[in-house]
Amino acid sequence: MSQDPATTHDHLDDDARLLAEMGYKQELHRGMSGFSNFAVSFSIISILAGCITSYAIALNSGGPAAITLGWLIVGLFVVCVAMAMAEVCSVYPTAGGLYFWAGRLARRNNRRWAWFVGWFNFMGEVAVTAAIDFGCATTWMAFMNLTWGTDVTAGRTFLLFVAIIVVHGLLNTFGVSLVSLLSMVSAWWHVAGALFIVAMLWILPDHHQSVGWTLTEFHNGTGWAFGPYVLLMGLLMAQYTYTGYDASAHVAEETKGAATAAPRGIVMSVVVSVVGGFLLLFSITAAIQNGSSAGLDKLLGTSTGLPPAQVFLDSLNSPFMAKFLLFIVCVAQFFCGMASVTANSRMTYAFSRDDALPGSKLWAKVNQRTGTPTNSIWFCIVLSIILTSPALFSTTAYLAVTSIAVIGLYIAYVVPVFLRRRQPDFTPGPWNLGRWSPLVGWVAIVWVVLICILFILPPASPVTVDNFNYAPIAVLVVAVFATVTWYAGGRNHFMLKKIEPDDDVDMEKEVAAP
């Protein structure tokens, strides 16, 4: 029989004691170092995955300028978002992360804020896991097509996706020590792999574009005539890539010195990605051989489906080296998906621990041998497979389902930051922004509001069924679902013991309601 965490403080280390003060006992195995914590978020951001698979978005909508300068501009604002999140994480380093922060920081209706943030975070995590591993399967199929002539079909891509995500489930099931080791390998693979690709792109090609062209050349393949709007749409490439760094918070209960290591992991994963991603994107773009408008259009229509892969083929004068660079990307994407399953399962475990999901008791169980939430791991994998299944019939349908990924996550990211700014009694943790906190926080809030608007605007003209932006519909579906489930039962059982009675003015009324 487990003891109440509040009665065992004297027997706990500092991490477990802080966790107990938040109302939870130490169940997960705390075996991650600060570097491992950073590596999980850095792997999910994955400059070798996001920059490569999303490259066409900015190439089509703004061209080289949106790719290179756009990456830096977005990166600057995302660093602000990460720092604002990290400051809250330092006070509440728990696997629940965003929704727990919202529940503690809201001045009224605490549990309701936590419920909505939790559902956006949960659905966003599942969708991101699905998108990452399906993107991994797509890239692997392109690699196999180039290397062995394998025919690429929707069925084969889906089966490969299932195989990849099942392997990720197995790796996560074996224990946090293995995940920690592979996360560190992943971080170094991303760093070394990106540097190797950059070196080859500068050493082997006979011709490079000028610095001015690489930074400022504008290309518009969207059909829209208003240049600034086109450039704003191009920024979405970078914004799509800068996601998942909340993972450092979700593995906080498995991290030593979590009050400083977890917030540092959030921030440093973004900072390193900004620098590394810029070097990678600048090098790929400078290696484009035909910089004319027609040449960029041809690059966008490449049979490989990945413009960077075509740049490798065109510029390196070595088909073998081009395939090898694509292989580096394939391995990086595999690591990215593994880390995403880790973060997704921990958030699901925490959300279930607070009795939010159907079957919560099952998903909140921890494997006593490995110290991992095994049931939550496989629950997330099954949900991701279901979410990806429309790709068997229609890519458009798949994109409609997964469009919630980024916008859902960023809604979840910014709500606790907003609530922190409205909380006069907030006491900073050991990692904090000091006097810069208000400026950084409000910049982060304004930026997320802006990108959420961009995410729901049509990216191309004329608007058709194939290029329609389904993000607003996806967000509305999640919001309606969260509202219905809250009144249908969530208000009667969610987080009842995890907030102080005087923090939620409606709690007694809601619990007493039939």
Side-chain angles (χ1 to χ4, degrees), residues 253-442:
E253 292 181 29
E254 297 159 274
T255 303
K256 300 171 184 176
T260 53
R264 189 180 294 123
I266 292 173
V267 175
M268 291 309 300
S269 64
V270 176
V271 171
V272 175
S273 295
V274 172
V275 177
F278 176 75
L279 292 175
L280 180 65
L281 289 169
F282 187 92
S283 301
I284 293 173
T285 307
I288 293 174
Q289 297 301 290
N290 185 348
S292 67
S293 181
L296 296 181
D297 283 332
K298 184 178 180 181
L299 188 59
L300 282 163
T302 174
S303 59
T304 67
L306 290 172
Q310 190 62 50
V311 173
F312 298 161
L313 290 168
D314 293 343
S315 65
L316 297 178
N317 301 312
S318 169
F320 169 79
M321 184 57 69
K323 294 172 186 176
F324 183 69
L325 297 192
L326 190 57
F327 170 75
I328 292 174
V329 173
C330 287
V331 175
Q333 290 189 339
F334 179 84
F335 282 133
C336 176
M338 182 202 69
S340 183
V341 170
T342 303
N344 191 357
S345 62
R346 272 49 173 187
M347 190 273 159
T348 302
Y349 154 77
F351 209 31
S352 299
R353 182 174 60 184
D354 284 323
D355 203 14
L357 300 175
S360 282
K361 290 184 179 179
L362 181 62
W363 316 130
K365 285 186 177 180
V366 175
N367 186 309
Q368 296 303 310
R369 183 176 62 84
T370 63
T372 58
T374 305
N375 293 347
S376 282
I377 291 169
W378 292 103
F379 180 52
C380 295
I381 286 171
V382 169
L383 288 179
S384 294
I385 291 173
I386 293 172
L387 200 61
T388 310
S389 59
L392 280 168
F393 315 103
S394 168
T395 302
T396 301
Y398 162 71
L399 293 174
V401 173
T402 59
S403 61
I404 186 59
V406 177
I407 192 169
L409 283 180
Y410 267 92
I411 289 173
Y413 287 1
V414 80
V415 169
V417 175
F418 173 71
L419 294 174
R420 181 263 180 273
R421 296 266 52 92
R422 297 178 68 247
Q423 177 56 266
D425 299 325
F426 182 82
T427 301
W431 196 103
N432 63 81
L433 298 171
R435 61 190 178 92
W436 295 101
S437 180
L439 175 62
V440 171
W442 284 113

Side-chain angles (χ1 to χ4, degrees), residues 24 94 108 130 148 221 232 410:
Y24 302 110
T94 175
R108 295 171 57 88
W148 300 296
L232 286 173
Y410 267 92

Side-chain angles (χ1 to χ4, degrees), residues 36-80:
S36 297
N37 182 286
F38 152 83
V40 171
S41 285
F42 182 58
S43 297
I44 297 178
I45 294 174
S46 185
I47 57 176
L48 287 176
C51 290
I52 301 297
T53 57
S54 301
Y55 189 89
I57 295 174
L59 183 61
N60 187 59
S61 188
I67 294 168
T68 54
L69 290 182
W71 178 266
L72 290 178
I73 292 170
V74 174
L76 175 64
F77 288 108
V78 172
V79 168
C80 290

Side-chain angles (χ1 to χ4, degrees), residues 438-453:
L439 175 62
V440 171
W442 284 113
V443 167
I445 292 166
V446 171
W447 175 251
V448 174
V449 170
L450 173 62
I451 63 168
C452 285
I453 294 172

Side-chain angles (χ1 to χ4, degrees), residues 1-5 7-8 25-27 368 497:
M1 182 176 179
S2 61
Q3 291 179 286
D4 188 319
T7 67
T8 61
K25 66 178 180 179
Q26 183 72 50
E27 292 184 293
Q368 296 303 310
K497 300 178 181 179

